Amino acid sequence: MIKLLVVGTVAYDSIQTPFGKVENVLGGSALHFTNSASFFTDVGVVATVGRDFDLSAINFLKDRHVNLSGIKIDDGKTFRWEGKYGYDLNQAITLKTELNVIESFKPNIPEEMKKANYLFLANIDPALQLHVIDQVESPEAVVLDTMNFWIGNKFHELMKVIERVHMLVINEAELREISKEYNLVRGARKIMELGPSCVIAKRGEYGVLMVSKDEVFLCPAFPLEDVFDPTGAGDTFAGGFMGYLANMGDTSLETVKQAIIMGSLMASFSVEDFGINRIKALTYDEIKARYKSFRKCMEFGDITTLA
Ligand code: AMP
């Protein structure tokens, strides 16, 4: 039985960064998420693709115990996203969004996935996210991501989703947009009044800020010298985060903090190459080695004069 279920997009992305350009590479919120989460737990994916999609290109995920039976092939073209980044790699500029098969998608969760303990509502139409929540039986944690496209186009539906999730994992700009607060802690608290017990703000190269009822937690981004393509870093973060939670079977604050570290480690690999390539080729030994270097960056002796 799968522990972690994700519903989102499987896409063809065209991306320009200051370091290169690619067209129609594998991407999408659910795919980046699964690529990352599958290092830690059994994942089930629910998504739709068009007849133009080459399913054999994602078969490698089956070797990592991913259940792909929830990916439906519909008449029409696969969802496509085109974006670019300037030297500020924290800011993606959407050039084109072609919804294609997503427009008529009704995510039906396969029977064997309805009992998943952990549910990630990856970036997709909030109306579809609501339809998914209604089908999953009694998940321990439902975590939500979204983006400006949906905040702008489906705000009302999005608010209804927020009321029903345990945690939100979103970009800092989107947190500001939803909460209408510039200050992230204040914005997170405002969102928590709607229902979630924890808000995790992704801040690109500045790391992650978590706000819960009792605590605020900060995690830096791993200090890389070469960042190539930030697309998918957010979903890869969420994959490491939720994969770790599902693996531990626990959502205590301490485990959530460790999961944030794991998510940040995974995201640091994702940006080293275009699309899903780096995480596809990643090994567990590489994750272990980077964990050691990451810890080292955060260690310091006690300042005795302040103790
Ligand atoms: P991120 O992790 O935030 O960089 O997400 C990148 C992925 O989001 C890309 O692979 C896109 O295919 C996907 N994406 C872009 N726009 C949307 C959208 N409006 N809805 C769902 N997924 C999207």
Side-chain angles (χ1 to χ4, degrees):
M1 204 194 72
I2 58 131
K3 283 194 188 158
L4 173 59
L5 171 64
V6 57
V7 184
T9 51
V10 170
Y12 282 129
D13 289 345
S14 296
I15 308 158
Q16 298 170 40
T17 79
F19 318 107
K21 190 176 165 183
V22 285
E23 277 183 15
N24 298 323
V25 295
L26 284 173
S29 54
L31 193 53
H32 283 293
F33 176 90
T34 304
N35 200 15
S36 172
S38 57
F39 276 86
F40 311 103
T41 194
D42 296 345
V43 187
V45 189
V46 171
T48 178
V49 292
R51 302 236 169 253
D52 57 346
F53 192 79
D54 174 15
L55 276 172
S56 69
I58 58 170
N59 260 342
F60 71 95
L61 288 169
K62 288 188 184 160
D63 299 335
R64 294 198 202 150
H65 306 286
V66 175
N67 184 336
L68 298 173
S69 64
I71 300 185
K72 205 165 154 270
I73 303 166
D74 281 319
D75 284 335
K77 278 171 79 180
T78 299
F79 173 81
R80 275 174 167 72
W81 178 75
E82 202 178 315
K84 72 169 186 184
Y85 303 81
Y87 280 96
D88 176 4
L89 292 167
N90 288 340
Q91 199 55 53
I93 301 158
T94 295
L95 299 173
K96 208 198 257 174
T97 303
E98 279 179 42
L99 294 175
N100 298 332
V101 288
I102 298 282
E103 241 166 331
S104 52
F105 181 43
K106 263 268 178 240
N108 289 322
I109 311 300
E111 247 358 272
E112 76 266 24
M113 297 189 192
K114 286 185 177 167
K115 287 190 165 51
N117 290 328
Y118 294 82
L119 169 62
F120 185 61
L121 301 167
N123 186 15
I124 200 170
D125 187 332
L128 302 185
Q129 293 176 323
L130 270 178
H131 182 61
V132 170
I133 298 181
D134 287 337
Q135 294 173 72
V136 180
E137 286 173 11
S138 50
E140 217 164 287
V142 180
V143 181
L144 169 71
D145 187 13
T146 192
M147 72 181 288
N148 49 10
F149 185 87
W150 303 115
I151 301 169
N153 293 319
K154 298 270 176 105
F155 191 76
H156 181 66
E157 287 89 341
L158 181 61
M159 288 300 114
K160 286 200 168 149
V161 186
I162 291 178
E163 283 171 15
R164 297 184 59 190
V165 303
H166 301 101
M167 298 183 225
L168 215 69
V169 176
I170 47 172
N171 287 345
E172 58 176 338
E174 280 130 23
L175 195 161
R176 291 191 174 105
E177 213 175 321
I178 294 175
S179 65
K180 302 186 176 65
E181 290 280 352
Y182 181 77
N183 181 282
L184 294 177
V185 179
R186 201 189 285 271
R189 295 217 188 283
K190 207 164 154 185
I191 291 174
M192 284 160 61
E193 281 169 19
L194 302 172
S197 57
C198 170
V199 172
I200 296 168
K202 297 171 285 182
R203 310 188 58 223
E205 65 182 304
Y206 306 111
V208 166
L209 168 78
M210 181 213 73
V211 182
S212 72
K213 198 165 117 295
D214 304 314
E215 277 188 56
V216 171
F217 177 69
L218 286 171
C219 170
F222 184 78
L224 289 171
E225 290 188 28
D226 295 306
V227 176
F228 205 64
D229 171 23
T231 311
D235 299 310
T236 306
F237 167 86
F241 174 76
M242 287 211 70
Y244 185 80
L245 288 184
N247 179 291
M248 300 300 283
D250 163 26
T251 54
S252 67
L253 202 52
E254 280 319 298
T255 307
V256 166
K257 289 182 194 176
Q258 289 167 349
I260 289 173
I261 303 287
M262 191 61 91
S264 304
L265 274 175
M266 295 304 285
S268 77
F269 288 108
S270 157
V271 300
E272 289 180 330
D273 201 346
F274 274 111
I276 65 166
N277 293 346
R278 184 65 180 99
I279 304 288
K280 183 180 171 190
L282 188 65
T283 65
Y284 207 75
D285 282 344
E286 287 178 299
I287 303 174
K288 273 195 198 158
R290 187 160 290 180
Y291 170 61
K292 284 196 183 133
S293 321
F294 198 30
R295 272 205 94 140
K296 244 186 160 152
C297 295
M298 291 184 257
E299 276 168 11
F300 58 91
D302 203 6
I303 301 175
T304 51
T305 51
L306 294 175

